[in-house]
Amino acid sequence: MANHKSALKRIRQSAVRRDRNKYYHKSARTAIKALRGETDKNEAETVFPKVSSIIDKLAKRNIIHKNKASNLKSKLAKHIAGLA
């Protein structure tokens, strides 16, 4: 266990950030899953910019890698384009 005051503070900060990052990541996964399950093209096109924005924020905060964010957005766009 840490003995220094600064190390104890760092442990507290890390725990808070871990929980916050987990929440953002899980929320994004839920939004992505909902978009993938969408069958109406118009509805999917209105939701896509919001989900895309969420993914970009995750990449900006280094919660997910920027290439993973790109791949996710690309696959979602492809899915929407394939809807009838």
Side-chain angles (χ1 to χ4, degrees), residues 24-66:
Y24 290 142
H25 197 200
K26 183 63 178 169
S27 300
R29 282 198 309 245
T30 305
I32 290 166
K33 189 182 282 190
L35 182 57
R36 281 197 184 124
E38 194 64 53
T39 54
D40 181 31
K41 187 169 186 164
N42 291 330
E43 183 65 29
E45 285 176 341
T46 58
V47 174
F48 179 67
K50 295 173 188 163
V51 174
S52 181
S53 173
I54 291 170
I55 292 170
D56 285 336
K57 286 176 187 172
L58 289 180
K60 185 175 128 184
R61 294 181 181 135
N62 287 322
I63 297 171
I64 62 174
H65 196 271
K66 64 179 182 173

